[in-house]
Amino acid sequence: MNLKDDRQTDFAYQAVYRYMINLINEVGTDARVKLPSLRQLSERLNVSISTIQYAYSLLEKEGRVYSVAKSGYYAWPVLNKPPGSSGGDLLERLYAGARRPGMRVLSADEPALGASLDGALLLLERELLRHYPRHLQPWSQPCGVWELRAALAARYTSSPTRCWQADEVYIGADLRGVLEILIEVLGLKGAAVIVESPCDWLILRLLQGAGVKVLELPFTADGGLNLELLEQMLGNEPVQLALLSSGVSLPSGIVLPTHDRLQLVRLLNRHDCWLLENDSHGELGFEQPTTALRDLANPERLMVFSTFEKMLGPEAPFGYLLSRHLSGELQRQFLLREFRLSSIRQRAIARLYLSGRIDQHLRELRPKLNEQSRLMNQHLEEHLGEQVSYRMPAAGATFWLRSTAVVDMRQVFQRLLTRQVVIAPGELFSISGLHRQHLRLSPTFDGAHHLENALDELAQALRQAQTGAE
């Protein structure tokens, strides 16, 4: 098969994406099915490995496929059980439900959904292709092209003592791949790691799958961290690092008070604990940006990871890491992964930074996200009333709700699937049983009428899960 005809009107990855959708839809079994490797598809479709990687990244983001380290990609099964069936893994059922036609998916975290830079990025990429024809492009550097690494280093430099160099930045195909490398390089198997809770399920499952001892540090009712508990953890366990958000913690949408942030940093310093900062939503705060945790922490015990996707959209799925240490082992692991990323797309993202286009985009995106949250707040008050409690989020595109009555949230989730509504139960954001009365909703759902209907369905499901009524 050759995709040259598709290239006349489309980027090759879009044709690959459509081909893969058809391939996945042919999987009519409850069993998980291994999909062709990057190299196999590259040879079959006569396109580059990086093009296949783009398509797989989009499919993984949509919950159609999942990756297994050193094994490859697998299609999530299309479950033949009724939508409300309680069997199987909860996250698997969420992804399977989101794949079904006609579902109203309220479980996503897509800040750039209505205001991505996809169009600008692709136009810039086309322009660059005229200057750098494919046959003249050098092999992509295993840790990312210099232009983008330098742009990120400049972006994260805040003072002469808190500065970064291009060779301290590492770029991978997606956030999952970067985190898998980091877990391997740091030797975290069996080590104790503190994470704020609730925590993104991708991070939790990667740590759990790698045999990391995860210590969850929950937020308090007033929106702070339990620093006494943190001090106990640091004193009682040989904690290797703490994984904390840079400014706003999502899905909770909480900004730590300045006093708590300073005290937290002092505790980490006192116990010689490394900070691994999650900056995935760091620039999506509605108000004036809060001083990032990395600018308060010890720069010699600091690493930062993030992704472009939350800010730019699905055309920029790359993940990246900033680290002043372990350069030799990090370079070796990135070489072994053979990400083979598109140098043109990386250059295009770099130019968006250097031209100021990303800053302009953020100035437009933040008010839109804030307005979406305001409207979602109105809908929640109208349709759910006193059935849920929550704090208004300070960033991003999600609401973290708590049922005011004791309910079986899995039952809520299952009932809503039968009504073609998908939510994210709170227990997905913990591995120790926290947040069972919580759920995450997204205000970026397209269509106010459908959103209101879905919230009415949620209100009914909460009542039924509380009383046990059918």
Side-chain angles (χ1 to χ4, degrees):
M1 180 177 179
N2 192 304
L3 298 183
K4 289 183 178 178
D5 292 337
D6 293 297
R7 286 201 188 104
Q8 303 304 316
T9 57
D10 248 343
F11 277 96
Y13 84 91
Q14 293 170 317
V16 173
Y17 172 86
R18 290 193 298 271
Y19 172 82
M20 292 304 300
I21 288 290
N22 292 331
L23 189 64
I24 291 168
N25 287 340
E26 292 173 359
V27 178
T29 174
D30 287 347
R32 301 182 183 188
V33 176
K34 192 175 190 303
L35 295 169
S37 70
L38 301 180
R39 193 171 302 280
Q40 287 171 332
L41 281 175
S42 174
E43 295 172 354
R44 180 186 307 178
L45 302 179
N46 192 27
V47 296
S48 69
I49 287 179
S50 63
T51 296
I52 305 298
Q53 179 69 64
Y54 280 133
Y56 264 135
S57 294
L58 287 176
L59 292 165
E60 186 170 17
K61 174 179 173 295
E62 293 174 354
R64 297 177 184 270
V65 305
Y66 65 99
S67 61
V68 176
K70 300 179 181 179
S71 179
Y73 285 91
Y74 293 78
W76 285 107
V78 179
L79 301 178
N80 294 320
K81 301 172 185 176
S85 172
S86 60
D89 179 85
L90 182 61
L91 182 58
E92 180 178 328
R93 282 186 283 131
L94 185 152
Y95 280 146
R99 283 181 55 191
R100 295 180 183 277
M103 299 298 284
R104 291 164 286 175
V105 181
L106 302 184
S107 58
D109 176 16
E110 307 289 348
L113 182 64
S116 74
L117 275 179
D118 286 355
L121 182 61
L122 294 178
L123 284 173
L124 187 53
E125 188 171 287
R126 284 190 174 100
E127 179 183 331
L128 286 168
L129 279 171
R130 290 196 291 271
H131 297 286
Y132 300 95
R134 295 187 188 278
H135 67 279
L136 294 179
Q137 291 179 37
W139 288 108
S140 177
Q141 300 173 39
C143 299
V145 301
W146 184 88
E147 291 93 330
L148 183 53
R149 298 171 75 191
L152 286 172
R155 185 90 172 171
Y156 278 84
T157 292
S158 59
S159 74
T161 58
R162 297 183 181 275
C163 57
W164 298 89
Q165 305 298 324
D167 61 3
E168 296 169 335
V169 180
Y170 306 84
I171 301 170
D174 52 26
L175 186 57
R176 176 190 293 273
V178 169
L179 289 177
E180 286 174 344
I181 286 177
L182 187 59
I183 291 170
E184 176 74 21
V185 170
L186 293 177
L188 293 183
K189 183 175 182 180
V193 171
I194 292 174
V195 301
E196 62 196 11
S197 187
C199 180
D200 183 88
W201 62 57
L202 167 66
I203 294 172
L204 287 177
R205 294 214 169 194
L206 283 176
L207 293 174
Q208 188 178 35
V212 177
K213 183 178 182 180
V214 178
L215 307 177
E216 296 183 87
L217 181 65
F219 286 93
T220 60
D222 60 357
L225 281 174
N226 188 333
L227 296 177
E228 291 184 2
L229 176 59
L230 173 60
E231 189 162 20
Q232 290 176 14
M233 289 177 172
L234 292 170
N236 297 336
E237 297 276 356
V239 177
Q240 187 160 334
L241 60 84
L243 197 163
L244 304 167
S245 296
S246 59
V248 182
S249 302
L250 291 175
S252 61
I254 290 174
V255 179
L256 280 182
T258 301
H259 176 267
D260 283 9
R261 294 157 64 79
L262 290 171
Q263 192 173 348
L264 185 154
V265 167
R266 292 191 191 104
L267 282 174
L268 295 180
N269 287 339
R270 187 187 309 161
H271 291 271
D272 293 326
C273 183
W274 283 73
L275 169 64
L276 176 58
E277 184 188 78
N278 179 358
D279 195 39
S280 299
H281 296 82
E283 298 201 72
L284 296 178
F286 304 151
E287 305 298 331
Q288 189 69 20
T290 306
T291 301
L293 200 58
R294 62 180 175 272
D295 290 329
L296 302 173
N298 180 356
E300 295 306 314
R301 291 186 172 275
L302 169 70
M303 290 173 287
V304 182
F305 71 86
S306 187
T307 174
F308 302 106
E309 187 174 19
K310 298 301 181 186
M311 180 172 58
L312 302 186
E315 299 292 348
F318 306 134
Y320 61 87
L321 169 72
L322 287 84
S323 175
R324 297 184 178 89
H325 308 277
L326 304 170
S327 59
E329 186 59 22
L330 283 169
Q331 290 173 12
R332 189 178 78 86
Q333 288 295 330
F334 273 81
L335 274 168
L336 289 173
R337 282 300 178 106
E338 295 184 308
F339 282 130
R340 301 286 294 276
L341 310 180
S342 165
S343 60
I344 287 293
R345 179 147 304 183
Q346 291 180 74
R347 289 192 175 98
I349 296 174
R351 293 200 178 188
L352 289 176
Y353 276 108
L354 296 174
S355 67
R357 182 67 182 87
I358 285 182
D359 289 320
Q360 177 187 343
H361 169 67
L362 287 170
R363 287 192 294 270
E364 297 168 356
L365 179 59
R366 291 184 189 117
K368 289 182 179 179
L369 294 175
N370 196 5
E371 176 65 10
Q372 287 173 347
S373 293
R374 187 187 66 79
L375 292 174
M376 184 65 163
N377 180 50
Q378 292 178 359
H379 290 311
L380 290 174
E381 290 181 350
E382 179 181 352
H383 296 274
L384 291 173
E386 297 182 355
Q387 286 184 271
V388 296
S389 62
Y390 56 91
R391 299 172 63 91
M392 282 295 291
T398 61
F399 271 68
W400 184 241
L401 310 181
R402 183 182 186 280
S403 172
T404 53
V406 177
V407 299
D408 182 341
M409 196 60 71
R410 284 203 173 208
Q411 187 180 115
V412 173
F413 170 75
Q414 291 157 18
R415 288 181 184 274
L416 288 174
L417 283 184
T418 67
R419 305 298 298 172
Q420 295 187 300
V421 177
V422 183
I423 62 167
E427 67 177 276
L428 289 172
F429 302 86
S430 168
I431 60 173
S432 62
L434 302 177
H435 318 308
R436 291 187 180 275
Q437 297 301 302
H438 290 78
L439 68 149
R440 186 183 75 181
L441 291 186
S442 171
T444 57
F445 185 76
D446 188 22
H449 175 68
H450 295 297
L451 173 60
E452 292 180 2
N453 288 341
L455 292 179
D456 284 337
E457 298 283 2
L458 173 58
Q460 182 180 359
L462 287 170
R463 287 192 295 270
Q464 291 173 329
Q466 176 189 356
T467 64
E470 293 296 329

